Structure formats: C-alpha cells, structure tokens
Amino acid sequence: MSTETPPSRADTVVIGAGAVGCSVAYHLTELGAEDVVVIDQGPLPVTGGSSVHAPGIMFQTSPSKIQTKTAHYTSRLLSDAGVYDEVGGIEVARSEERMDFLRRRVEWATSYGLPEPQLLSPEEVTEHLPLVDEDEILGGYYSPTDGRVDGIAALQWYMEHSSASFYGNTEVTDLDVSGGEITAVETDKGRIDCERAVIATNNWGYQTGQLAGLDLPIAPVEHQYVVTEPMDELADAETSVGDNTTGLDVPGDRSIAEYMSEGPHQPVGRDQDHSLYFRTHGDALGMGSYNHETLSVDPEAMGKNTEEHQASVRGFTKEHWETPTHRGRDKSAKQAFDELLPATQDVEYEATENGIFVFTPDGMPAVGETAQVDGLWTGLAIWWTHSGGYGRILAEWMENGVPRLPSGPVDTGGIHVRRFEPHAGEKDYFVDRGAKRYEQVYSIVEPRWQPDDHRGLRTSPFYHQQKELGAEFYQSGGWETPQYYESNADLVAKYEDRIPNQDGWQGINRSKIEAAEHLHTREKVSMFDMSTFSSIMVEGDGSGAFLQRVCSNDMDIDTGQVRYSLLLNDGGGILADITVVKLDDEEYMVTTGGGNSPGIHGGWLEDHAPETVSVHVEEGAKSTIGLWGPNARLLLQRCTDADVTNDGFPYFRAKRMYVGDVPVIALRVSYVGELGWELWAPTEYGQRLWETLWEAGQDLGVRPMGGGALGSMRLEKGYRLWGTDIDTDSNPFEAGLPFAVDMDTEFIGKAALETAREAGIDSKITPVTLDDSTDIMLSGRPVLKDGEALGYVQAGNYGYSIDESIAYTYVPTEHAEAGTSVQIQCEGETYDATVRDEPLFDPARERIIR
C-alpha cells in the first residue's frame, strides 16, 4: 500500500479503489501479475464511493447462476479474511406470491450449491429476528451463510494483502488511446503509461468511459438508508460506534462510515414485498429502502467529495421515506417498516443517507475487455455481494484468457461488456432502463416479462407485414421479434388435443398459439424472421487459414459447403457456435445468433484476425427468412430457377441464387429439424422477399412462425442455444458436440480439450422427460437423484411433436445413461423424470434430408 505520488509507468492501472477495484488488484497479484497500480480520487480506504456508504448486506441467492456463484465466492473469501459477519440472511414473505417466490429461492440455492437453504415458519423467523411482528408474515427463506461485509475493513484487508500499489487522492483526467489501444492513464498527479487498465469506478463508470470515447451504459440511482438511535430492544448488543473510523480520513458525514463499520449480531433481513432490507448495527437498527420512485442521477454529474458529503451520497429525502412514491408499492417505507418492525415506530434516526449505486439496462454487471479499446477492461455495476467473485473472474480473464472461479469456468454471455447493443450507450435510453431495473430490484418479475419503453428501436423489413398478421413482439437486443402471431389463432382449435394447458407460473405470458405454430411447421411450411441473426463476412488473403485457427472443426471445405463449428477460448470453453459458409476462394460468411452475438462473437473474430483478413460484422445488414417444413421445397422451387432438389441442393450446402427478383445466399440448414433453408438477402430486398414467398405459398399452407415455436422445436431436436445450453462454462465434449471438433486440426483451445479428454469428461448434457406431467420445467431448477442435486435445468419446454415435457441438464456422466430415473424440483413440486437419448425427435434425420 502506498500514499505517495503514482509512478510514471505500470503494467496495469486499476481505476477505482472500491470493492471491485481492490478485488481485481488483489486477485491479479495473487495470480502472479506484477507492477499493478490502483488509483482513486478519494482518500484511502474511505474513498467516498458506494463501497464505503453501503451497509454491506450480502444475500447470495439469485435466479442467476453466476450471480449466486460470485456471491458465495465473495462470502468465503471475506469470511476467511475476517471481515465478514456470517450471521445468516432471512427474506420474509408478506404475501402468498412472495412465499411462492421464496420456494424458488430454495430451488435456485439447491441448484447452484449454496449450503442448507431453508423455508421458515413465522415462528422460526422471529426466533432469529425478534423485532419482526410474527403476525405480519407468512414465512421466510433462510440462507445460513448470508451476512454482512465490513466494507472499510475489507478494503483495508485487500490493500494490506496485495502486492499492488495503491494511491488515493489521485484523480483521473484522461485515458490515452492510440491505435485502438490503451497507452496511458492521465491523472492530476502525472501520466501513468500502461499496457492495460481496468475501469472499476462504478458510479463514475460512464464518465470514466467517456475519457476513452466509450458510451458505457452505467446509470447511477439513489436509494435510502437510515440508522436508528440505540434501541432498548437491542441494548444487550455490544457497540463500538465512535471508535470504528478513528484515525481515518473520512469525507463527508463521519457518522455514516461509523455506523456502516458496526457489525450485526442478528441475521440480515429483507422484506421484498415492500422493497425493504434491514440489519442491526450494534444496539441500533439500519433500514434500507428501494421503496420510492426512481431517483436517477445524471451520469455526467456524479461530483466529488466535499467536506459535507461523500461523493456518492446525496441528502436524505424525507418525503421518499414517508410517502409511497414507488409505482409498484402502496405503502411508504416508514409505514411498511412500522408494521413489520413495530419497535421502530417512534425512534429517531442517528444517520441518514441517499446512497448511490448503478444499474445497466439489463441489471447485470459489465465485465470484460471493451471492443473499442484493446487493453481497456471494465468491472462495473457490481455490488459488494459479488465483488470478490467478479474480481477473481476478471483477473483470471486478464491473466490467463479464461474467465473462471476456483470451482471452474463461468458463463460470461450475460455479463460481458460487449453484449450491449449499439443504442445502449445513448444516455436517455440507459438511464430510463436503469430506472426500470431499480424499480424491479425487489419485484417479482414474471417469466418472459417485456419492457414497454423504448420500443420499436430496431425492426426488420418484415415488421409491417408482421404487425398486420398480429405479431406479439418481444424485444431482444433492441429488435422487435415476433413470439407468435394472432393470425394463427385458428390453428389452436385444429391442434387442441395436442396442446396441454400450462397453468401457474410456468404458463404466464405463454400462448397456445406458439404450440400451434410448432405443430403446423411440422406438417406444412412456415416463415421465420431471422433478421436479428448476424452474418459476419470474412474475406482476404489467408481467410481460410484464419478460420481454421479459430474454428474447432475442419475448415478445409469446398465452395458452396456449409460447416457447423465452435469458437473456443484458451480454456476450451465455448465462445460461440457458428455456421461457416465458403462462398468463394478466401470469401466466407459466418452466421451466428442475434442479441449479444455481434458484439461478443463478431468482436472476438475481429480481435484475432490478421492484417490481411477483413472481418465485417453485418449486424442488421441482411434480412433473413427461415423457410421450414415439409412443403418448403415446393414453395421455394416456385420462386426460383435454381435447382433445389435434394441432389441439386444437398443438406449443409449453400448457393447464391434468386428468389423472385431478390438475390439471396441460400443455406440448406434448419434449426427446427425440418426440411428447409435460410435465405439471406440484403436488407433493402427484405420486404420483397417476404412478399414473394408469402404469395407463392398460400395454397401450400404457409404461415408465419414466432420465437415461441422455435424454442420448443429446437429443444425436441437437441439443437444447442448459446447462452442457454452452451457457453464459456462448458467444453464441446460436455456439451455433446464432439462432431463440431476435429482434433487433427490446430485451433485455439485445442490444448485444453486434449487435457480435458485425457482427464475424463465428468459431466454431460442430456435431455430428460417428465414421466407423468405436461408441466413445463423452468431454467435454474434442481435435477436430483436420491435427494442429491446432480445439476439444474438449462432449458425446458414442451415437445408438442413427441407429446412430452423436455428439460435439458448437465449431469455427472455416471448418471447420463438413458433410462436413469431422476427428479426435478420446480415451483415447489417434485417431478419424476427419465434421462433420454438425443435427439428425441426424428433421430434418423429423415425429415431434414429428403
């Protein structure tokens, strides 16, 4: 630790000495990184950022695996460091809906390996939390390893146990970027030349990114916290308030830092029905509230420390504490607390604050190397709860090329800083979306929930036809994508006896029309809008050799040939599954999914391409139709002079041809397990392409098909979905994709796969089907054998063609044999299920190759 002037050079500069920055620096040096410098605009360790005004409450259980895993790692790390109070955590339910949600908590905790999750009766809750009025609650969820981190002590521990150098009162004034690379960090105390830098400024993340020309979608928001005067009910607790920050330079109100440094002696608590949380501070009680309207802060006006205020603390707004201003809550924070914790009704408050923290548009962290600036990494939108884990992940990623925790590789698709769509950096957009995520922090968000603001940003050329056909649009990556079409409502009656009812939580925002579209496509022909999918053009001298180096499969293919392959990281984890089309010598088209694929996968290819190879990500540049079903050939042949017979256009081949007047690149591939093609055309031709196929196929039963049908059809065939079934936390052998790997070629990740194969594959993805239920299983729910968790549901849906409910899961290889009996817990029920061989539908591929 150092307080002197920063050096003029360092290998790595970490900007921000809060929970994340200190964690990154600690883990980098633990992994062997040298010459790491950490700077912060505030004094050390009480910097004035959110890490030192936060009450430090850590609830580990999340619907997200990576959030749960990073939280548990953080709790173990800080517990071993002696700066974590493992008092347990209890979430209470004041409604039946919340009690159902707490049952989900138990299932998620079981799936992701948290120890001893429990549901408690009201009486059991009050045994742990005697201030709670037993008559106000229906029960609670107890996680015994939850607790509270002492923020200031944790920062001190990081600084004392890391070989990095730390410099406070050092303001970053600029980030020097040359040739697309970070070269230096400019400060008010001089320039620091560097090889790489990490933005860990959280509340100031947008402002710091702007110094490098980046529009990072980091939205600061205020929320409230109060600490009571000493309470008679807590008089037996010891307290050190008044001595906790002695000798420390504390900006602003010292009482906030004093009370935040005082630990709890009872479990930390949450009342999510009213967006509240609480914990003891010695003989006082701290109460936090998200129960008010969103108080967004201009991301360009975060400010600095003053004598009166910490930089990330605003003045307490009494009206938001005493008035119900949250759109989803009918009681104020004070009223709800008075009812739940009656002893607090007439107490005075010793400390109050409106503290600031941040949200991204989807509520998840922003981690990884930026696309625009090589060597510039981010660790943003991360709470104390997950900070240790994400610091470890980021350090592993930077040092070893593989994002991982000690438990193994992690899934980065949902946290990667490159996942954001091009419009996400527009300030009004990300501030509004951050405000919505704030509202939802403690809300019960329904399955397949859709936002209602900033809609219609990105539409395909087929959008107007889709609206006329009654498309129910979902938003994905900013695109409006049909989930199903009301024009197909008549098909529900036709297939009624093959469509089971889906009730309860599983059936929310789900339509029977999705099932009808699935069945119709199997019998007739459907058109699916694939315009959100991405094409990546790879051209130039050495293109074939480049693709061979980055693709796991053999890329020695002929012109017109299509090959399925994977992109792997150095650890053998799956970065992407792709389709590669050879259009001509040294000219290839790579296709991949939409959403976050262009930024993550396209950016990865751009980063690895040699100077002689051009990689152009055509996001939105092509309009694409998936034409699938038994009548697909009849329909397509009516619209083209090209030979589309099985002999003239075999499976996994491609042609440049015309559909009517429209020039297309046609790929004979199918993501639904039916005869069909993907037809890729320049965007300006999209409307005519739709019209041509639509008009020619009326007597053949052509219908539009939405994403709901695609989801169930692909699961019947066992086709993988990146970010759901496969990601950087699985290798191709575990994912059941050995056919996409040619170990006789040289490619990134091969050495790791050789090591994994020699060590033996411990887990394997497999389908399971329910024995006697038509309910749809939800992701993240535990798969059990004799009461022990084997894995969890990766994806679930109903297989309308096979009349069975399907779930995909990774299980230990010894339990992956077809016929093995397992159980799945979902929504408080335990279902008997059976492991099956895949694919479940058309294993001989007769429907595709005909």
Side-chain angles (χ1 to χ4, degrees):
M1 181 173 176
S2 173
T3 57
E4 301 173 358
T5 302
S8 61
R9 191 199 171 282
D11 287 346
T12 306
V13 177
V14 179
I15 308 168
V20 178
C22 285
S23 175
V24 172
Y26 168 80
H27 286 100
L28 280 172
T29 56
E30 283 286 291
L31 294 172
E34 298 179 350
D35 198 13
V36 177
V37 166
V38 186
I39 55 178
D40 198 287
Q41 65 179 339
L44 300 180
V46 190
T47 62
S50 55
S51 299
V52 295
H53 74 64
I57 291 175
M58 290 180 57
F59 291 95
Q60 301 169 83
T61 312
S62 169
S64 162
K65 175 183 175 181
I66 194 168
Q67 292 286 82
T68 303
K69 290 286 189 181
T70 52
H72 192 56
Y73 175 86
T74 304
S75 73
R76 299 309 88 200
L77 173 71
L78 299 181
S79 178
D80 291 344
V83 294
Y84 181 70
D85 300 303
E86 191 173 295
V87 291
I90 296 177
E91 302 176 34
V92 301
R94 296 171 76 177
S95 66
E96 292 290 352
E97 292 80 7
R98 183 64 61 178
M99 202 65 211
D100 288 340
F101 183 81
L102 297 187
R103 295 185 183 97
R104 293 175 203 134
R105 288 277 194 215
V106 174
E107 292 169 1
W108 293 323
T110 302
S111 291
Y112 305 143
L114 291 184
E116 302 179 31
Q118 304 165 43
L119 286 179
L120 303 181
S121 68
E123 295 80 9
E124 290 170 322
V125 168
T126 56
E127 288 175 10
H128 292 283
L129 294 172
L131 292 180
V132 170
D133 184 348
E134 186 179 302
D135 294 334
E136 280 289 318
I137 62 174
L138 302 179
Y141 165 67
Y142 179 50
S143 175
T145 57
D146 286 353
R148 167 263 182 181
V149 58
D150 184 339
I152 295 174
L155 297 180
Q156 290 175 307
W157 182 86
Y158 276 132
M159 293 175 190
E160 292 167 359
H161 290 80
S162 170
S163 61
S165 299
F166 293 78
Y167 300 88
N169 298 308
T170 303
E171 181 183 352
V172 174
T173 58
D174 202 5
L175 297 178
D176 287 354
V177 177
S178 178
E181 298 179 358
I182 186 74
T183 57
V185 176
E186 300 275 4
T187 80
D188 61 352
K189 293 184 177 178
R191 173 187 174 95
I192 310 173
D193 293 322
C194 61
E195 301 295 323
R196 59 189 185 183
V198 181
I199 298 176
T201 51
N202 228 35
N203 296 344
W204 292 265
Y206 176 77
Q207 287 179 284
T208 312
Q210 289 284 288
L211 298 176
L214 305 180
D215 296 323
L216 298 174
I218 307 299
V221 182
E222 299 179 35
H223 85 291
Q224 298 189 297
Y225 197 80
V226 304
V227 182
T228 71
E229 62 186 350
M231 297 175 61
D232 292 342
E233 293 81 358
L234 302 173
D236 293 339
E238 297 181 359
T239 181
S240 299
V241 171
D243 301 322
N244 290 320
T245 61
T246 300
L248 297 179
D249 185 357
V250 178
D253 184 355
R254 183 175 289 269
S255 67
I256 292 174
E258 272 293 318
Y259 276 107
M260 296 312 169
S261 297
E262 187 70 23
H265 65 283
Q266 295 178 0
V268 297
R270 286 205 288 203
D271 170 15
Q272 292 185 289
D273 281 313
H274 297 91
S275 297
L276 308 176
Y277 62 98
F278 54 95
R279 77 164 177 91
T280 56
H281 295 253
D283 60 359
L285 186 70
M287 298 179 286
S289 167
Y290 302 100
N291 189 354
H292 53 78
E293 64 183 340
T294 307
L295 301 173
S296 296
V297 177
D298 184 345
E300 295 184 278
M302 269 300 303
K304 304 175 185 179
N305 292 327
T306 69
E307 291 185 4
E308 293 77 24
H309 297 290
Q310 291 183 20
S312 60
V313 173
R314 296 292 191 265
F316 184 73
T317 48
K318 187 176 179 181
E319 64 272 21
H320 292 109
W321 187 258
E322 298 182 351
T323 306
T325 60
H326 189 295
R327 290 194 298 180
R329 303 285 179 257
D330 59 1
K331 296 177 182 178
S332 70
K334 186 175 189 325
Q335 180 183 354
F337 268 131
D338 286 350
E339 293 172 352
L340 181 68
L341 309 171
T344 67
Q345 288 185 22
D346 299 318
V347 297
E348 298 294 328
Y349 302 144
E350 293 287 323
T352 61
E353 65 170 346
N354 278 19
I356 298 175
F357 62 154
V358 297
F359 290 91
T360 61
D362 60 12
M364 292 293 283
V367 179
E369 189 175 18
T370 64
Q372 300 90 335
V373 182
D374 292 345
L376 184 59
W377 296 73
T378 64
L380 296 168
I382 298 168
W383 298 3
W384 260 118
T385 305
H386 314 99
S387 57
Y390 281 119
R392 176 63 181 262
I393 289 168
L394 191 55
E396 290 274 6
W397 206 346
M398 294 172 68
E399 280 295 289
N400 302 317
V402 181
R404 60 182 299 123
L405 291 168
S407 57
V410 297
D411 168 357
T412 56
I415 62 168
H416 204 307
V417 69
R418 298 189 182 192
R419 74 185 183 276
F420 299 111
E421 52 271 9
H423 59 268
E426 197 279 320
K427 194 166 68 167
D428 286 345
Y429 175 85
F430 72 75
V431 168
D432 288 349
R433 283 293 167 90
K436 173 56 71 173
R437 293 300 174 182
Y438 172 88
E439 280 187 11
Q440 293 177 329
V441 168
Y442 281 0
S443 299
I444 299 175
V445 182
E446 295 177 340
R448 296 166 292 278
W449 169 86
Q450 290 292 299
D452 56 12
D453 64 335
H454 296 281
R455 298 301 298 264
L457 281 169
R458 311 173 84 181
T459 60
S460 82
F462 320 133
Y463 181 68
H464 295 294
Q465 286 100 330
Q466 292 165 342
K467 285 186 69 175
E468 291 175 0
L469 292 166
E472 178 66 22
F473 289 105
Y474 279 19
Q475 194 174 73
S476 175
W479 288 95
E480 297 295 337
T481 63
Q483 183 72 359
Y484 59 88
Y485 293 82
E486 286 292 342
S487 62
N488 290 328
D490 62 303
L491 295 174
V492 174
K494 177 180 179 181
Y495 297 112
E496 188 172 9
D497 60 336
R498 299 173 63 182
I499 305 175
N501 290 325
Q502 299 297 339
D503 300 319
W505 192 250
Q506 298 102 315
I508 292 176
N509 295 326
R510 189 182 292 276
S511 171
K512 288 188 175 183
I513 297 175
E514 300 168 45
E517 291 176 359
H518 170 137
L519 294 166
H520 173 83
T521 304
R522 293 268 186 247
E523 292 185 2
K524 299 289 185 178
V525 60
S526 293
M527 293 163 55
F528 178 79
D529 181 3
M530 293 180 60
S531 298
T532 61
F533 287 52
S534 298
S535 57
I536 304 169
M537 303 305 295
V538 179
E539 302 173 88
D541 186 26
S543 295
F546 162 63
L547 287 172
Q548 185 64 76
R549 183 170 66 87
V550 297
C551 291
S552 63
N553 214 339
D554 183 8
M555 287 296 108
D556 184 13
I557 56 179
D558 298 328
T559 298
Q561 194 169 354
V562 178
R563 180 142 292 169
Y564 179 77
S565 184
L566 306 171
L567 305 179
L568 307 178
N569 64 20
D570 290 332
I574 301 173
L575 284 165
D577 65 331
I578 60 174
T579 300
V580 180
V581 186
K582 186 171 183 179
L583 298 173
D584 207 338
D585 289 343
E586 308 293 17
E587 182 186 3
Y588 298 82
M589 183 172 78
V590 177
T591 70
T592 184
N596 55 17
S597 292
I600 297 177
H601 306 150
W604 193 85
L605 288 173
E606 289 174 331
D607 289 347
H608 287 78
E611 291 183 0
T612 60
V613 174
S614 167
V615 175
H616 179 54
V617 182
E618 295 188 317
E619 187 175 13
K622 288 190 171 74
S623 52
T624 309
I625 291 176
L627 185 69
W628 297 314
N631 291 342
R633 177 177 285 119
L634 289 173
L635 175 49
L636 184 58
Q637 192 67 79
R638 289 180 180 182
C639 304
T640 184
D641 293 332
D643 183 356
V644 297
T645 64
N646 194 44
D647 291 336
F649 201 153
Y651 188 56
F652 258 61
R653 300 289 294 189
K655 282 186 180 182
R656 281 188 163 115
M657 55 187 257
Y658 294 95
V659 175
D661 300 330
V662 178
V664 304
I665 298 173
L667 281 59
R668 190 173 164 198
V669 296
S670 168
Y671 193 54
V672 298
E674 293 292 335
L675 173 68
W677 285 262
E678 293 178 3
L679 305 173
W680 296 73
T683 297
E684 64 268 24
Y685 289 100
Q687 186 169 335
R688 178 59 64 86
L689 178 62
W690 180 284
E691 292 170 350
T692 299
L693 295 168
W694 185 257
E695 292 169 4
Q698 289 303 301
D699 64 320
L700 297 175
V702 69
R703 296 275 186 145
M705 178 189 118
L710 187 80
S712 58
M713 296 180 81
R714 74 99 186 168
L715 215 59
E716 286 185 333
K717 285 296 294 179
Y719 292 149
R720 306 300 189 244
L721 177 61
W722 187 83
T724 300
D725 317 314
I726 55 175
D727 208 309
T728 44
D729 61 352
S730 56
N731 70 45
F733 303 134
E734 296 166 333
L737 300 173
F739 62 88
V741 177
D742 188 334
M743 297 297 284
D744 292 329
T745 64
E746 297 298 322
F747 55 88
I748 295 172
K750 178 181 177 180
L753 291 190
E754 288 176 333
T755 300
R757 189 168 61 177
E758 290 171 6
I761 305 304
D762 295 329
S763 67
K764 180 183 176 183
I765 196 171
T766 185
V768 300
T769 56
L770 300 190
D771 293 347
D772 53 10
S773 176
T774 60
D775 288 352
I776 293 176
M777 299 295 94
L778 301 175
S779 62
R781 306 312 173 90
V783 178
L784 311 171
K785 178 72 175 177
D786 299 327
E788 297 294 323
L790 300 179
Y792 60 92
V793 176
Q794 301 284 145
N797 215 314
Y798 198 77
Y800 299 99
S801 307
I802 64 172
D803 195 23
E804 292 186 280
S805 181
I806 306 166
Y808 263 78
T809 178
Y810 286 86
V811 298
T813 50
E814 62 267 28
H815 297 294
E817 184 177 351
T820 301
S821 295
V822 295
Q823 297 80 42
I824 300 176
Q825 287 183 346
C826 187
E827 291 301 289
E829 300 288 336
T830 299
Y831 297 84
D832 291 327
T834 302
V835 173
R836 302 280 296 276
D837 285 327
E838 63 173 345
L840 298 169
F841 177 77
D842 188 29
R845 299 198 304 171
E846 294 174 351
R847 300 178 70 89
I848 299 174
I849 307 174
R850 57 178 175 178

